[in-house]
Amino acid sequence: MSVFIQQLINGFFIGSVYGLFAIGYTLVFGVLDILNLAHAAIFTLGGLSALWLTRTTGLPVWASFCLATLFSGLLGLVLYRVAFAPLRRRADSNLSGLISSIAMAIIFEAGAFEIFGARTVRFPQGMFAVRVYHFDSLTFTSLQLEIVAIALGLMVVLSLCLKHSRTGKAMRAVAESETTARLLGIPVERIISETFFVSSALGGAAGILFGLYFNALGPDMGRSIELKGLAVIILGGMGSIPGAILGGIAFGMSEVLTVALTGMSSLRDAVAFSVLLLILILKPSGLLGRGRIRQA
Amino acid sequence: MSEFFAVYGSLINFAGLNALLALSLYVPLSAGQLSLGNAAFAGIGAYVSAILTMRLNAPFPLAIAAGAFTAACVAVVIGAPVLRIRGIFLAMATLAFGEVVRIAAVNLAITGGAEGLIGIPSKTTMLIIYGTLGVAAYFLTILRGSRIGWSFASIREDETAAMVMGINTTLYKNSAFILGAFIAGIAGGLYAHLNFIITPGEFGFAAEVQLLIYNIVGGARSVWGPILGAFILTAIPEVLRGVDITAGPPRLFVNGLILLLVILYLPNGLSSFFKRAKGSSE
């Protein structure tokens, strides 16, 4: 039984990182109706640049975390300027945007390979004091707790900002209707740029936390999470922030539970993707979606 | 001449197969359905035909046909519920389907698990590949000018309007999806019997994206676009080798750059470039 609970806790830990990653996806989709497939590449570059900063400049982990998060946000701005902004007036912009984001993902991934090499790299041993807590028969480390705290903290901050801050309200207005937002005097272009900045910064932060959690980073680490992120936002409902958080945690738990119950690690993703397919067929708006099916 | 084929033979073979795969995605795209499940259909065709020839000693043409029919049958089952969803959601549903197929191939005993199937008899020849490609291209060209082709095009342009005009959109969307799966199944079977070895990873997300790139770069508005896209992108590594770019990252970078430039400046693909040069309007 305690093994079961331990598995659930582990699933919760990794699920919070999935949620953080998925929020970036869902934020851009909510505002622009575009699926940004370069999000996973920014996740990778965020993680790798944080590692590079700690190893070469000797900055403490928290400092390089902040810098790399900022860097990911800036990458997001580049991504928007190059791949999305020129397509905005086109009729099929959500499809062509999908494809130009794939192109940018390939370019970013090539950059990651070129700069950081193809090998899996790790944070140096003993960089941070990792304490192990025992609670009854359950075990977790201070690192795991910090990761969950940061991930959940960022999600809470984002939700509050979207709800109460001026920029957040403007983002929601643009998501609701771009034309109306423009008529109301909201600087739509700037708000969209800011959305990309926030979304990519969160994606990069998720990459760093993912790298810290498994302590293994490589230029292709984004590939596995890319599809999981999609599954998470569909599970939670496209464009829904709480949906992405809950979806992430549910996905993380379903992964570990599948392995725990079947004993086959290769089946890890099977349940999640079957559920995803079923949800898309039965209730495409997702579990917490806004109830309408967007039509392309 | 024979020296040329000795050096570039496998490249030419793969270019032809990629073109056939690109055509399999062209069919649903021509009806406005962005399917990302075609690599999985190719996988189904590859596995079914390889298992038939390896375990049952089935004749090669029969095995290919069986693989293609299995892929089409799966498309019938999966298409009915999935094609009710539109746009990006359809892309994601087919993507999820592709992942389920890949995971199934990793976990089943008969597909050889993650290592895949090894020692598939080599039966596919260049003549078979290009013969099939020619037949498929010819058939699709005819289809394009037919009532079915126009129905596909009207659904692509505006599905609601097409429905109002009395076009049975469900039927045509499903037909396009199934026909695409059938062609993908043939391509997969031919690939299996060319390559000696197949693994589940080859039919995953990266392969789906590759098929989409062929169609976008070449242009999915004509039958020749996807073929052109597949040829160019399959040949690019060789061309780059000629100018001394052999390492992975620059090659990846060039691929991404081409895709970006095409989508930004030639939204209807490279084939529209030729059309423009000829002076005909879109």
Side-chain angles (χ1 to χ4, degrees), chain B residues 1-266:
Chain B
M1 196 64 192
S2 64
E3 198 180 322
F4 176 81
F5 278 113
V7 176
Y8 292 109
S10 75
L11 181 74
I12 295 170
N13 283 338
F14 282 116
L17 279 180
N18 285 338
L20 197 58
L21 280 170
L23 278 185
S24 80
L25 178 58
Y26 157 83
V27 184
L29 280 180
S30 75
Q33 309 302 308
L34 175 56
S35 157
L36 290 176
N38 276 37
F41 288 128
I44 292 173
Y47 273 105
V48 169
S49 63
I51 289 167
L52 284 178
T53 47
M54 285 170 75
R55 300 238 166 158
L56 302 176
N57 274 326
F60 176 59
L62 192 72
I64 298 289
F69 272 110
T70 313
C73 289
V74 174
V76 172
V77 175
I78 201 83
V82 158
L83 287 170
R84 286 185 304 152
I85 16 185
R86 291 186 187 182
I88 299 281
F89 288 93
L90 173 66
M92 285 192 280
T94 48
L95 200 59
F97 157 73
E99 277 301 291
V100 172
V101 170
R102 189 184 65 79
I103 293 164
V106 171
N107 285 289
L108 291 175
I110 195 164
T111 54
E115 292 93 49
L117 293 175
I118 303 170
I120 305 159
S122 173
K123 306 259 188 180
T124 306
T125 63
M126 195 181 289
L127 190 68
I128 295 175
I129 293 173
Y130 279 86
T132 316
L133 180 63
V135 171
Y138 178 72
F139 174 71
L140 290 177
T141 313
I142 304 255
L143 192 74
R144 201 178 143 73
S146 73
R147 197 181 169 80
I148 300 174
W150 285 109
S151 305
F152 285 178
S154 72
I155 295 171
R156 182 190 62 208
E157 293 305 324
D158 191 333
E159 190 174 332
T160 314
M163 209 185 305
V164 174
M165 296 283 285
I167 292 169
N168 187 343
T169 52
T170 312
L171 176 73
Y172 283 112
K173 275 157 66 177
N174 276 292
S175 320
F177 191 64
I178 294 161
L179 180 60
F182 184 77
I183 297 176
I186 297 178
L190 293 179
Y191 173 76
H193 291 86
L194 179 71
N195 208 34
F196 184 72
I197 178 171
I198 47 172
T199 57
E202 291 170 287
F203 306 103
F205 181 49
E208 314 279 2
V209 169
Q210 201 62 36
L211 298 191
L212 185 62
I213 292 176
Y214 294 151
N215 273 278
I216 298 303
V217 169
R221 287 287 167 123
S222 73
V223 177
W224 305 112
I227 299 178
L228 182 73
F231 281 174
I232 291 176
L233 287 172
T234 314
I236 274 183
E238 290 302 314
V239 177
L240 289 181
R241 191 169 299 157
V243 292
D244 268 354
I245 300 176
T246 50
R251 229 166 69 185
L252 209 59
F253 177 78
V254 170
N255 274 348
L257 195 65
I258 292 175
L259 183 61
L260 187 67
L261 291 177
V262 166
I263 192 73
L264 290 181
Y265 299 111
L266 277 174

